[in-house]
mmCIF file of all heavy atoms in Angstrom:
data_model
loop_
_atom_site.group_PDB
_atom_site.id
_atom_site.type_symbol
_atom_site.label_atom_id
_atom_site.label_comp_id
_atom_site.label_asym_id
_atom_site.label_seq_id
_atom_site.Cartn_x
_atom_site.Cartn_y
_atom_site.Cartn_z
ATOM 1 N N PHE A 67 5.454 9.023 11.739
ATOM 2 C CA PHE A 67 5.094 9.424 10.383
ATOM 3 C C PHE A 67 6.287 9.524 9.439
ATOM 4 O O PHE A 67 6.235 9.045 8.315
ATOM 5 C CB PHE A 67 4.350 10.755 10.428
ATOM 6 C CG PHE A 67 3.886 11.211 9.079
ATOM 7 C CD1 PHE A 67 2.772 10.651 8.492
ATOM 8 C CD2 PHE A 67 4.587 12.180 8.375
ATOM 9 C CE1 PHE A 67 2.351 11.046 7.236
ATOM 10 C CE2 PHE A 67 4.179 12.585 7.124
ATOM 11 C CZ PHE A 67 3.050 12.018 6.554
ATOM 12 N N ASN A 68 7.356 10.128 9.871
ATOM 13 C CA ASN A 68 8.453 10.405 8.941
ATOM 14 C C ASN A 68 9.427 9.252 8.762
ATOM 15 O O ASN A 68 10.307 9.322 7.908
ATOM 16 C CB ASN A 68 9.219 11.642 9.405
ATOM 17 C CG ASN A 68 8.432 12.912 9.163
ATOM 18 O OD1 ASN A 68 7.755 13.049 8.152
ATOM 19 N ND2 ASN A 68 8.508 13.841 10.096
ATOM 20 N N THR A 69 9.282 8.216 9.547
ATOM 21 C CA THR A 69 10.220 7.102 9.443
ATOM 22 C C THR A 69 9.572 5.794 9.002
ATOM 23 O O THR A 69 10.233 4.960 8.398
ATOM 24 C CB THR A 69 10.930 6.870 10.779
ATOM 25 O OG1 THR A 69 9.942 6.642 11.800
ATOM 26 C CG2 THR A 69 11.773 8.089 11.156
ATOM 27 N N TYR A 70 8.315 5.606 9.289
ATOM 28 C CA TYR A 70 7.651 4.373 8.942
ATOM 29 C C TYR A 70 7.256 4.349 7.468
ATOM 30 O O TYR A 70 6.963 5.378 6.862
ATOM 31 C CB TYR A 70 6.376 4.196 9.770
ATOM 32 C CG TYR A 70 6.586 3.643 11.167
ATOM 33 C CD1 TYR A 70 7.736 3.900 11.890
ATOM 34 C CD2 TYR A 70 5.597 2.859 11.766
ATOM 35 C CE1 TYR A 70 7.899 3.393 13.176
ATOM 36 C CE2 TYR A 70 5.749 2.351 13.041
ATOM 37 C CZ TYR A 70 6.910 2.623 13.745
ATOM 38 O OH TYR A 70 7.065 2.113 15.008
ATOM 39 N N THR A 71 7.197 3.159 6.910
ATOM 40 C CA THR A 71 6.602 2.941 5.599
ATOM 41 C C THR A 71 5.089 3.043 5.746
ATOM 42 O O THR A 71 4.510 2.480 6.685
ATOM 43 C CB THR A 71 6.963 1.548 5.077
ATOM 44 O OG1 THR A 71 8.368 1.490 4.863
ATOM 45 C CG2 THR A 71 6.221 1.245 3.781
ATOM 46 N N MET A 72 4.457 3.738 4.833
ATOM 47 C CA MET A 72 3.002 3.809 4.841
ATOM 48 C C MET A 72 2.484 3.321 3.497
ATOM 49 O O MET A 72 3.116 3.540 2.458
ATOM 50 C CB MET A 72 2.538 5.227 5.133
ATOM 51 C CG MET A 72 2.954 5.701 6.525
ATOM 52 S SD MET A 72 2.074 7.140 7.093
ATOM 53 C CE MET A 72 0.424 6.475 7.331
ATOM 54 N N ALA A 73 1.343 2.663 3.535
ATOM 55 C CA ALA A 73 0.825 2.039 2.325
ATOM 56 C C ALA A 73 -0.700 2.083 2.289
ATOM 57 O O ALA A 73 -1.353 2.271 3.315
ATOM 58 C CB ALA A 73 1.293 0.588 2.253
ATOM 59 N N TRP A 74 -1.215 1.900 1.090
ATOM 60 C CA TRP A 74 -2.648 1.738 0.873
ATOM 61 C C TRP A 74 -2.895 0.346 0.299
ATOM 62 O O TRP A 74 -2.178 -0.093 -0.618
ATOM 63 C CB TRP A 74 -3.176 2.776 -0.099
ATOM 64 C CG TRP A 74 -3.239 4.164 0.443
ATOM 65 C CD1 TRP A 74 -2.310 5.163 0.273
ATOM 66 C CD2 TRP A 74 -4.276 4.737 1.255
ATOM 67 N NE1 TRP A 74 -2.707 6.305 0.918
ATOM 68 C CE2 TRP A 74 -3.912 6.070 1.534
ATOM 69 C CE3 TRP A 74 -5.467 4.245 1.768
ATOM 70 C CZ2 TRP A 74 -4.711 6.927 2.302
ATOM 71 C CZ3 TRP A 74 -6.266 5.088 2.533
ATOM 72 C CH2 TRP A 74 -5.888 6.410 2.791
ATOM 73 N N PHE A 75 -3.901 -0.304 0.847
ATOM 74 C CA PHE A 75 -4.388 -1.571 0.334
ATOM 75 C C PHE A 75 -5.888 -1.436 0.100
ATOM 76 O O PHE A 75 -6.522 -0.525 0.618
ATOM 77 C CB PHE A 75 -4.161 -2.695 1.357
ATOM 78 C CG PHE A 75 -2.726 -3.115 1.513
ATOM 79 C CD1 PHE A 75 -1.832 -2.374 2.268
ATOM 80 C CD2 PHE A 75 -2.260 -4.275 0.896
ATOM 81 C CE1 PHE A 75 -0.505 -2.768 2.413
ATOM 82 C CE2 PHE A 75 -0.944 -4.675 1.034
ATOM 83 C CZ PHE A 75 -0.066 -3.921 1.793
ATOM 84 N N ARG A 76 -6.433 -2.363 -0.656
ATOM 85 C CA ARG A 76 -7.884 -2.367 -0.837
ATOM 86 C C ARG A 76 -8.413 -3.795 -0.765
ATOM 87 O O ARG A 76 -7.712 -4.741 -1.100
ATOM 88 C CB ARG A 76 -8.281 -1.697 -2.144
ATOM 89 C CG ARG A 76 -7.777 -2.343 -3.399
ATOM 90 C CD ARG A 76 -8.090 -1.446 -4.609
ATOM 91 N NE ARG A 76 -7.681 -2.054 -5.862
ATOM 92 C CZ ARG A 76 -7.727 -1.438 -7.047
ATOM 93 N NH1 ARG A 76 -8.164 -0.185 -7.127
ATOM 94 N NH2 ARG A 76 -7.357 -2.064 -8.143
ATOM 95 N N GLN A 77 -9.667 -3.877 -0.313
ATOM 96 C CA GLN A 77 -10.295 -5.184 -0.117
ATOM 97 C C GLN A 77 -11.706 -5.141 -0.674
ATOM 98 O O GLN A 77 -12.475 -4.217 -0.413
ATOM 99 C CB GLN A 77 -10.339 -5.502 1.384
ATOM 100 C CG GLN A 77 -10.894 -6.862 1.737
ATOM 101 C CD GLN A 77 -10.808 -7.142 3.237
ATOM 102 O OE1 GLN A 77 -10.263 -6.349 4.019
ATOM 103 N NE2 GLN A 77 -11.328 -8.273 3.673
ATOM 104 N N THR A 78 -12.034 -6.163 -1.455
ATOM 105 C CA THR A 78 -13.371 -6.281 -2.030
ATOM 106 C C THR A 78 -14.159 -7.358 -1.289
ATOM 107 O O THR A 78 -13.569 -8.249 -0.660
ATOM 108 C CB THR A 78 -13.283 -6.609 -3.522
ATOM 109 O OG1 THR A 78 -12.445 -7.763 -3.696
ATOM 110 C CG2 THR A 78 -12.679 -5.451 -4.294
ATOM 111 N N PRO A 79 -15.490 -7.285 -1.379
ATOM 112 C CA PRO A 79 -16.328 -8.269 -0.682
ATOM 113 C C PRO A 79 -15.985 -9.699 -1.072
ATOM 114 O O PRO A 79 -15.723 -9.983 -2.253
ATOM 115 C CB PRO A 79 -17.743 -7.897 -1.140
ATOM 116 C CG PRO A 79 -17.662 -6.455 -1.456
ATOM 117 C CD PRO A 79 -16.303 -6.247 -2.034
ATOM 118 N N GLY A 80 -15.973 -10.558 -0.074
ATOM 119 C CA GLY A 80 -15.662 -11.955 -0.311
ATOM 120 C C GLY A 80 -14.193 -12.290 -0.164
ATOM 121 O O GLY A 80 -13.823 -13.463 -0.126
ATOM 122 N N LYS A 81 -13.369 -11.282 -0.101
ATOM 123 C CA LYS A 81 -11.937 -11.510 0.092
ATOM 124 C C LYS A 81 -11.592 -11.426 1.574
ATOM 125 O O LYS A 81 -12.151 -10.621 2.314
ATOM 126 C CB LYS A 81 -11.118 -10.470 -0.674
ATOM 127 C CG LYS A 81 -11.234 -10.559 -2.194
ATOM 128 C CD LYS A 81 -10.522 -11.773 -2.725
ATOM 129 C CE LYS A 81 -10.567 -11.846 -4.241
ATOM 130 N NZ LYS A 81 -9.740 -10.823 -4.873
ATOM 131 N N GLU A 82 -10.641 -12.209 1.986
ATOM 132 C CA GLU A 82 -10.181 -12.184 3.369
ATOM 133 C C GLU A 82 -9.169 -11.054 3.566
ATOM 134 O O GLU A 82 -8.593 -10.538 2.584
ATOM 135 C CB GLU A 82 -9.532 -13.523 3.727
ATOM 136 C CG GLU A 82 -10.451 -14.724 3.603
ATOM 137 C CD GLU A 82 -11.570 -14.683 4.629
ATOM 138 O OE1 GLU A 82 -11.358 -14.117 5.722
ATOM 139 O OE2 GLU A 82 -12.667 -15.213 4.336
ATOM 140 N N ARG A 83 -8.945 -10.727 4.824
ATOM 141 C CA ARG A 83 -7.980 -9.682 5.145
ATOM 142 C C ARG A 83 -6.627 -9.937 4.494
ATOM 143 O O ARG A 83 -5.984 -9.041 3.981
ATOM 144 C CB ARG A 83 -7.817 -9.616 6.667
ATOM 145 C CG ARG A 83 -6.749 -8.649 7.161
ATOM 146 C CD ARG A 83 -6.501 -8.826 8.635
ATOM 147 N NE ARG A 83 -5.388 -8.020 9.114
ATOM 148 C CZ ARG A 83 -5.513 -6.905 9.780
ATOM 149 N NH1 ARG A 83 -6.708 -6.436 10.066
ATOM 150 N NH2 ARG A 83 -4.452 -6.225 10.194
ATOM 151 N N GLU A 84 -6.192 -11.188 4.512
ATOM 152 C CA GLU A 84 -4.877 -11.538 3.963
ATOM 153 C C GLU A 84 -4.821 -11.379 2.443
ATOM 154 O O GLU A 84 -3.734 -11.416 1.853
ATOM 155 C CB GLU A 84 -4.518 -12.985 4.328
ATOM 156 C CG GLU A 84 -4.289 -13.219 5.824
ATOM 157 C CD GLU A 84 -5.563 -13.195 6.645
ATOM 158 O OE1 GLU A 84 -6.653 -13.367 6.075
ATOM 159 O OE2 GLU A 84 -5.459 -12.983 7.876
ATOM 160 N N GLU A 85 -6.000 -11.232 1.828
ATOM 161 C CA GLU A 85 -6.068 -11.087 0.386
ATOM 162 C C GLU A 85 -6.205 -9.628 -0.056
ATOM 163 O O GLU A 85 -6.475 -9.365 -1.232
ATOM 164 C CB GLU A 85 -7.256 -11.886 -0.143
ATOM 165 C CG GLU A 85 -7.136 -13.383 0.089
ATOM 166 C CD GLU A 85 -8.389 -14.118 -0.355
ATOM 167 O OE1 GLU A 85 -9.418 -14.042 0.361
ATOM 168 O OE2 GLU A 85 -8.343 -14.767 -1.412
ATOM 169 N N ARG A 86 -6.039 -8.734 0.855
ATOM 170 C CA ARG A 86 -6.083 -7.324 0.471
ATOM 171 C C ARG A 86 -5.053 -7.057 -0.600
ATOM 172 O O ARG A 86 -3.923 -7.564 -0.542
ATOM 173 C CB ARG A 86 -5.842 -6.439 1.692
ATOM 174 C CG ARG A 86 -6.999 -6.441 2.676
ATOM 175 C CD ARG A 86 -6.711 -5.622 3.929
ATOM 176 N NE ARG A 86 -7.865 -5.672 4.826
ATOM 177 C CZ ARG A 86 -7.876 -5.164 6.058
ATOM 178 N NH1 ARG A 86 -6.805 -4.541 6.541
ATOM 179 N NH2 ARG A 86 -8.968 -5.262 6.786
ATOM 180 N N GLU A 87 -5.450 -6.231 -1.558
ATOM 181 C CA GLU A 87 -4.596 -5.918 -2.699
ATOM 182 C C GLU A 87 -3.745 -4.689 -2.417
ATOM 183 O O GLU A 87 -4.268 -3.640 -2.014
ATOM 184 C CB GLU A 87 -5.452 -5.664 -3.943
ATOM 185 C CG GLU A 87 -4.650 -5.302 -5.178
ATOM 186 C CD GLU A 87 -5.546 -4.834 -6.326
ATOM 187 O OE1 GLU A 87 -6.774 -4.755 -6.131
ATOM 188 O OE2 GLU A 87 -5.001 -4.533 -7.401
ATOM 189 N N PHE A 88 -2.464 -4.821 -2.639
ATOM 190 C CA PHE A 88 -1.572 -3.682 -2.507
ATOM 191 C C PHE A 88 -1.908 -2.637 -3.569
ATOM 192 O O PHE A 88 -2.092 -2.965 -4.745
ATOM 193 C CB PHE A 88 -0.126 -4.146 -2.669
ATOM 194 C CG PHE A 88 0.864 -3.015 -2.777
ATOM 195 C CD1 PHE A 88 1.306 -2.360 -1.638
ATOM 196 C CD2 PHE A 88 1.346 -2.615 -4.009
ATOM 197 C CE1 PHE A 88 2.215 -1.321 -1.739
ATOM 198 C CE2 PHE A 88 2.255 -1.588 -4.121
ATOM 199 C CZ PHE A 88 2.683 -0.929 -2.990
ATOM 200 N N VAL A 89 -1.949 -1.384 -3.158
ATOM 201 C CA VAL A 89 -2.233 -0.289 -4.082
ATOM 202 C C VAL A 89 -1.005 0.600 -4.258
ATOM 203 O O VAL A 89 -0.557 0.838 -5.377
ATOM 204 C CB VAL A 89 -3.421 0.558 -3.593
ATOM 205 C CG1 VAL A 89 -3.647 1.753 -4.511
ATOM 206 C CG2 VAL A 89 -4.684 -0.295 -3.502
ATOM 207 N N ALA A 90 -0.476 1.099 -3.151
ATOM 208 C CA ALA A 90 0.663 2.022 -3.229
ATOM 209 C C ALA A 90 1.342 2.090 -1.874
ATOM 210 O O ALA A 90 0.752 1.764 -0.848
ATOM 211 C CB ALA A 90 0.215 3.408 -3.664
ATOM 212 N N ALA A 91 2.607 2.526 -1.892
ATOM 213 C CA ALA A 91 3.364 2.699 -0.661
ATOM 214 C C ALA A 91 4.306 3.877 -0.804
ATOM 215 O O ALA A 91 4.719 4.235 -1.916
ATOM 216 C CB ALA A 91 4.152 1.440 -0.314
ATOM 217 N N ILE A 92 4.633 4.466 0.342
ATOM 218 C CA ILE A 92 5.621 5.537 0.380
ATOM 219 C C ILE A 92 6.595 5.220 1.492
ATOM 220 O O ILE A 92 6.204 4.871 2.614
ATOM 221 C CB ILE A 92 4.956 6.922 0.548
ATOM 222 C CG1 ILE A 92 5.982 8.040 0.356
ATOM 223 C CG2 ILE A 92 4.241 7.047 1.892
ATOM 224 C CD1 ILE A 92 5.331 9.409 0.143
ATOM 225 N N ARG A 93 7.848 5.324 1.157
ATOM 226 C CA ARG A 93 8.890 4.919 2.088
ATOM 227 C C ARG A 93 9.220 6.044 3.046
ATOM 228 O O ARG A 93 9.328 7.207 2.619
ATOM 229 C CB ARG A 93 10.128 4.535 1.266
ATOM 230 C CG ARG A 93 11.253 3.974 2.048
ATOM 231 C CD ARG A 93 12.324 3.482 1.085
ATOM 232 N NE ARG A 93 13.476 2.961 1.800
ATOM 233 C CZ ARG A 93 14.526 2.407 1.232
ATOM 234 N NH1 ARG A 93 14.569 2.294 -0.095
ATOM 235 N NH2 ARG A 93 15.510 1.953 1.949
ATOM 236 N N GLY A 94 9.380 5.703 4.302
ATOM 237 C CA GLY A 94 9.793 6.688 5.283
ATOM 238 C C GLY A 94 11.203 7.165 4.991
ATOM 239 O O GLY A 94 11.987 6.462 4.376
ATOM 240 N N ASN A 95 11.530 8.334 5.410
ATOM 241 C CA ASN A 95 12.876 8.910 5.314
ATOM 242 C C ASN A 95 13.290 9.400 3.932
ATOM 243 O O ASN A 95 14.158 10.266 3.840
ATOM 244 C CB ASN A 95 13.938 7.929 5.810
ATOM 245 C CG ASN A 95 13.833 7.710 7.301
ATOM 246 O OD1 ASN A 95 13.454 8.605 8.049
ATOM 247 N ND2 ASN A 95 14.140 6.500 7.741
ATOM 248 N N ASN A 96 12.716 8.825 2.847
ATOM 249 C CA ASN A 96 13.150 9.354 1.559
ATOM 250 C C ASN A 96 12.019 9.584 0.573
ATOM 251 O O ASN A 96 12.254 10.012 -0.535
ATOM 252 C CB ASN A 96 14.234 8.475 0.925
ATOM 253 C CG ASN A 96 13.698 7.151 0.426
ATOM 254 O OD1 ASN A 96 12.500 6.924 0.382
ATOM 255 N ND2 ASN A 96 14.593 6.266 0.027
ATOM 256 N N ASP A 97 10.781 9.282 0.969
ATOM 257 C CA ASP A 97 9.591 9.597 0.169
ATOM 258 C C ASP A 97 9.520 8.880 -1.172
ATOM 259 O O ASP A 97 8.765 9.298 -2.051
ATOM 260 C CB ASP A 97 9.477 11.106 -0.080
ATOM 261 C CG ASP A 97 8.962 11.820 1.165
ATOM 262 O OD1 ASP A 97 8.599 11.144 2.134
ATOM 263 O OD2 ASP A 97 8.931 13.065 1.148
ATOM 264 N N SER A 98 10.268 7.851 -1.368
ATOM 265 C CA SER A 98 10.109 7.060 -2.589
ATOM 266 C C SER A 98 8.727 6.433 -2.589
ATOM 267 O O SER A 98 8.253 5.952 -1.559
ATOM 268 C CB SER A 98 11.159 5.953 -2.648
ATOM 269 O OG SER A 98 12.445 6.497 -2.723
ATOM 270 N N THR A 99 8.075 6.441 -3.750
ATOM 271 C CA THR A 99 6.730 5.883 -3.847
ATOM 272 C C THR A 99 6.701 4.709 -4.813
ATOM 273 O O THR A 99 7.510 4.631 -5.744
ATOM 274 C CB THR A 99 5.708 6.936 -4.296
ATOM 275 O OG1 THR A 99 6.111 7.466 -5.562
ATOM 276 C CG2 THR A 99 5.616 8.061 -3.290
ATOM 277 N N TYR A 100 5.771 3.813 -4.565
ATOM 278 C CA TYR A 100 5.610 2.613 -5.357
ATOM 279 C C TYR A 100 4.112 2.391 -5.542
ATOM 280 O O TYR A 100 3.327 2.693 -4.645
ATOM 281 C CB TYR A 100 6.224 1.415 -4.643
ATOM 282 C CG TYR A 100 7.667 1.629 -4.232
ATOM 283 C CD1 TYR A 100 7.970 2.327 -3.064
ATOM 284 C CD2 TYR A 100 8.712 1.178 -5.015
ATOM 285 C CE1 TYR A 100 9.283 2.555 -2.689
ATOM 286 C CE2 TYR A 100 10.033 1.392 -4.641
ATOM 287 C CZ TYR A 100 10.307 2.079 -3.482
ATOM 288 O OH TYR A 100 11.612 2.310 -3.113
ATOM 289 N N SER A 101 3.713 1.864 -6.686
ATOM 290 C CA SER A 101 2.300 1.580 -6.892
ATOM 291 C C SER A 101 2.132 0.310 -7.708
ATOM 292 O O SER A 101 3.057 -0.124 -8.414
ATOM 293 C CB SER A 101 1.613 2.756 -7.581
ATOM 294 O OG SER A 101 2.213 3.031 -8.814
ATOM 295 N N SER A 102 0.959 -0.267 -7.606
ATOM 296 C CA SER A 102 0.689 -1.490 -8.357
ATOM 297 C C SER A 102 0.457 -1.164 -9.827
ATOM 298 O O SER A 102 0.084 -0.039 -10.176
ATOM 299 C CB SER A 102 -0.534 -2.187 -7.772
ATOM 300 O OG SER A 102 -1.696 -1.426 -8.013
ATOM 301 N N ASP A 103 0.628 -2.134 -10.657
ATOM 302 C CA ASP A 103 0.428 -1.931 -12.095
ATOM 303 C C ASP A 103 -1.020 -1.555 -12.402
ATOM 304 O O ASP A 103 -1.283 -0.819 -13.350
ATOM 305 C CB ASP A 103 0.813 -3.201 -12.852
ATOM 306 C CG ASP A 103 2.304 -3.416 -12.869
ATOM 307 O OD1 ASP A 103 3.061 -2.471 -12.585
ATOM 308 O OD2 ASP A 103 2.715 -4.561 -13.161
ATOM 309 N N SER A 104 -1.960 -2.038 -11.600
ATOM 310 C CA SER A 104 -3.369 -1.791 -11.881
ATOM 311 C C SER A 104 -3.774 -0.333 -11.678
ATOM 312 O O SER A 104 -4.806 0.095 -12.194
ATOM 313 C CB SER A 104 -4.238 -2.697 -11.005
ATOM 314 O OG SER A 104 -4.041 -2.405 -9.626
ATOM 315 N N VAL A 105 -2.985 0.416 -10.937
ATOM 316 C CA VAL A 105 -3.332 1.816 -10.685
ATOM 317 C C VAL A 105 -2.278 2.790 -11.186
ATOM 318 O O VAL A 105 -2.475 4.011 -11.122
ATOM 319 C CB VAL A 105 -3.578 2.075 -9.177
ATOM 320 C CG1 VAL A 105 -4.626 1.111 -8.631
ATOM 321 C CG2 VAL A 105 -2.280 1.976 -8.381
ATOM 322 N N LYS A 106 -1.185 2.260 -11.686
ATOM 323 C CA LYS A 106 -0.091 3.132 -12.128
ATOM 324 C C LYS A 106 -0.585 4.073 -13.225
ATOM 325 O O LYS A 106 -1.283 3.671 -14.147
ATOM 326 C CB LYS A 106 1.070 2.281 -12.623
ATOM 327 C CG LYS A 106 2.396 3.009 -12.694
ATOM 328 C CD LYS A 106 3.542 2.011 -12.744
ATOM 329 C CE LYS A 106 3.702 1.272 -11.431
ATOM 330 N NZ LYS A 106 4.880 0.374 -11.418
ATOM 331 N N GLY A 107 -0.242 5.338 -13.080
ATOM 332 C CA GLY A 107 -0.683 6.334 -14.050
ATOM 333 C C GLY A 107 -2.004 6.973 -13.687
ATOM 334 O O GLY A 107 -2.381 8.005 -14.264
#
């Protein structure tokens, strides 16, 4: 938990697994967070 990068993705019907959309991520060890423009804010 404390060292791995963890992320959220989302998938809509008709899309393949490889087409999952990145939503947000949090970096292990320093808690920096990143999010997609579509959900920022």
Side-chain angles (χ1 to χ4, degrees):
F67 183 77
N68 287 322
T69 57
Y70 278 31
T71 295
M72 297 196 69
W74 288 97
F75 288 79
R76 62 188 183 186
Q77 183 176 356
T78 53
K81 294 289 183 70
E82 300 293 330
R83 175 190 174 103
E84 293 73 20
E85 296 175 285
R86 289 176 180 173
E87 179 189 2
F88 170 80
V89 176
I92 189 165
R93 185 173 178 176
N95 292 328
N96 71 9
D97 283 354
S98 296
T99 58
Y100 307 82
S101 59
S102 68
D103 288 344
S104 63
V105 306
K106 198 161 291 185

